[in-house]
Amino acid sequence: MSGLLSVDADRLLADLTTLGGFGRNGAGGVDRASFSAADLAARAWLTASCVKAGLRVEVDGIGNLVVSSPSLEEGIADRAPVWTGSHIDAVPNGGMYDGPLGSLAAIECLRRLHEEHVALERPVRAIVYVDEEGNYAHLLGSSALTRGFVADELQELRGRDGDRFADTFAAAGGDLQAAAAVRLTPGSVHASVELHIEQGPVLEREGVDVGVVSGIVSIGGGTVRFMGRADHAGTTPMDARKDAVLAAADFITRLPALVPRAGAASVVTTGIVRARPGGSNVVAEEAEVVVDFRHPATEKARQLEELISAAALDVARERELQVNLDWEPLVPAAPMHQTVRNAIRESAAALGCSTRDIPSGAGHDSQNLATIAPTGMIFVPSVDGRSHSPSELTRDRDVVHGADVLLGTLLRLAAAQPAAATQDSH
Ligand code: GLV
Ligand code: MN
Ligand code: MN
């Protein structure tokens, strides 16, 4: 790697460890839902460390952090910037790499460019997107930037704990009107690139250093609510009940056999089930199932929504109770842009890293960015393919490879002549 600008590996690894401590729970996982106390503390730590490094941190209307280098931007601040970044919120009992790797590597790359006073043709900015994991809405921060929300939509959002987004956001100093006004116009970002762990087993299994993401799946989801009747658990005969939980169970168990009808790559997950009123001796009056479904092709994901809706309606009819379907707008599949993919490949080759093209079954803010700017993603191996779990692990060497490939990619996207920006760094 000599001759190429590289990240400060020790600093990046130390940052990952520090960030992994925010929200660390007794099971060894990370609980850091967006706008939780742990998330706010992590954001404050990140902001302070950027400011200490001489970088500027701005918070946009929805809560995305935008990090820049004022000195590097002198004379070029009005040019469309290259964006890089990820998220630092986590799924419940999640790991310490999903999101933090791409966020901290983005900041580390910017810090290195800043330290070395690298002359750029356009600004490089590091973005930390808010609520990627959908405590309130999947890809919230990037959706606000690319498709936009109206304030009424934001008013409706509720968190996993049932809290209203509007209340939590206001308590954190947010303003819904400002949140609804952050929309970007196509062309306002020159290009976008995100580093992320693979979250699957392919790269490790094949011994490949870096995945060049070819495209990101289409994702749909929402809430299916069965409404039955509350009755006494001891006195109501089994054939006289309208048990909403049984309807939900019937619906859920039909899905694995049903979804392959939209294609073998279909996946469906029902990770949240809620029953009301929630008494062990009360037949459930209401059962809510939160559904997540995905397919690499948008039309197939749309077909999945139809199949799942039909199954819910069949169950309600057969069991003689009511059902309500509340689907969120489908996030379309996003092919990654050839220009960015080529820059990633060139950067990896210059570092001697092997690459392969790889699709992403996970959702990422990059799929929203792809609707307004040429976008790409860099994957690095996940040990045993584990993710969304405390077992999530990416080896230090892969962390550093990924960050160095990101830095080389940024130089290619932000400098007219990348060779002129390379130099001995240490
Ligand atoms: C994000 O991790 C997702 O794929 O849901
Ligand atoms: Mn995730
Ligand atoms: Mn992620």
Side-chain angles (χ1 to χ4, degrees):
M1 291 184 195
S2 73
L4 298 182
L5 189 67
S6 57
V7 300
D8 181 329
D10 290 342
R11 186 166 62 185
L12 174 59
L13 293 168
D15 279 354
L16 264 171
T17 303
T18 304
L19 182 51
F22 288 93
R24 179 72 61 168
N25 62 32
V30 174
D31 286 317
R32 202 167 56 230
S34 61
F35 295 103
S36 63
D39 182 51
L40 296 176
R43 287 161 61 93
W45 164 76
L46 200 59
T47 301
S49 70
C50 288
V51 169
K52 199 166 148 213
L55 304 175
R56 179 173 56 207
V57 182
E58 288 159 296
V59 186
D60 74 11
I62 189 79
N64 300 309
L65 303 181
V66 182
V67 187
S68 57
S69 158
S71 59
L72 286 187
E73 293 200 9
E74 266 169 38
I76 56 165
D78 56 344
R79 299 187 190 167
V82 174
W83 274 22
T84 179
S86 196
H87 60 98
I88 63 165
D89 63 311
V91 295
N93 200 26
M96 57 175 273
Y97 295 88
D98 172 4
L101 171 61
S103 303
L104 294 173
I107 290 165
E108 173 58 27
C109 288
L110 185 57
R111 211 158 31 184
R112 292 295 297 125
L113 297 171
H114 176 82
E115 286 166 348
E116 299 294 336
H117 311 291
V118 175
L120 299 169
E121 284 296 305
R122 53 184 68 255
V124 170
R125 297 195 185 136
I127 316 297
V128 180
Y129 298 100
V130 73
D131 199 19
E132 191 268 0
E133 299 287 11
N135 182 22
Y136 299 97
H138 194 209
L139 312 177
L140 177 74
S142 58
S143 298
L145 290 170
T146 55
R147 84 168 168 82
F149 287 102
V150 292
D152 282 355
E153 269 179 285
L154 296 170
Q155 284 281 5
E156 296 295 308
L157 298 179
R158 282 185 185 272
R160 293 186 197 104
D161 292 338
D163 59 312
R164 289 175 67 243
F165 173 73
D167 298 337
T168 309
F169 191 56
D175 167 51
L176 286 191
Q177 297 302 334
V182 293
R183 198 156 170 195
L184 293 170
T185 50
S188 57
V189 173
H190 176 71
S192 174
V193 58
E194 176 176 4
L195 170 64
H196 207 281
I197 56 168
E198 181 199 338
Q199 308 183 271
V202 175
L203 296 175
E204 183 186 57
R205 197 187 285 155
E206 297 187 1
V208 174
D209 297 321
V210 164
V212 182
V213 176
S214 50
I216 306 175
V217 284
S218 174
I219 306 181
T223 303
V224 174
R225 181 178 299 109
F226 291 98
M227 288 152 297
R229 198 180 65 203
D231 276 306
H232 195 288
T235 59
T236 318
M238 292 305 284
D239 62 0
R241 298 178 178 204
K242 295 203 189 303
D243 186 332
V245 161
L246 277 185
D250 188 359
F251 164 69
I252 290 167
T253 51
R254 289 182 195 203
L255 298 178
L258 186 74
V259 299
R261 283 170 47 191
S266 307
V267 287
V268 61
T269 305
T270 48
I272 300 178
V273 181
R274 300 186 193 99
R276 273 190 287 272
S280 61
N281 55 357
V282 185
V283 175
E285 181 171 26
E286 225 177 84
E288 238 177 38
V289 183
V290 180
V291 184
D292 173 302
F293 56 87
R294 306 178 183 208
H295 194 284
T298 310
E299 323 79 70
K300 295 285 187 181
R302 206 161 275 128
Q303 195 185 337
L304 276 175
E305 185 177 302
E306 285 164 17
L307 286 168
I308 295 168
S309 298
L313 294 169
D314 284 352
V315 167
R317 195 183 55 252
E318 290 163 26
R319 292 180 171 272
E320 297 178 356
L321 37 66
Q322 305 298 310
V323 68
N324 177 271
L325 308 173
D326 185 9
W327 296 125
E328 286 158 22
L330 201 70
V331 182
M336 297 289 94
H337 199 281
Q338 281 302 348
T339 303
V340 184
R341 291 169 68 180
N342 289 340
I344 296 168
R345 279 194 207 99
E346 282 173 27
S347 171
L351 292 163
C353 291
S354 56
T355 58
R356 64 159 275 164
D357 287 351
I358 189 167
S360 174
H364 299 285
D365 293 304
S366 288
Q367 67 198 107
N368 278 329
L369 266 292
T371 64
I372 59 141
T375 295
M377 287 193 75
I378 302 164
F379 276 1
V380 286
S382 292
V383 172
D384 289 333
R386 301 295 307 281
S387 184
H388 282 189
S389 139
S391 307
E392 189 173 273
L393 175 65
T394 289
R395 299 200 190 287
D396 290 354
R397 76 179 274 283
D398 294 320
V399 164
V400 177
H401 274 158
D404 278 332
V405 171
L406 176 65
L407 182 51
T409 305
L410 292 170
L411 285 169
R412 284 168 173 78
L413 295 172
Q417 292 170 335
T422 61
Q423 56 195 279
D424 281 316
S425 55
H426 300 291

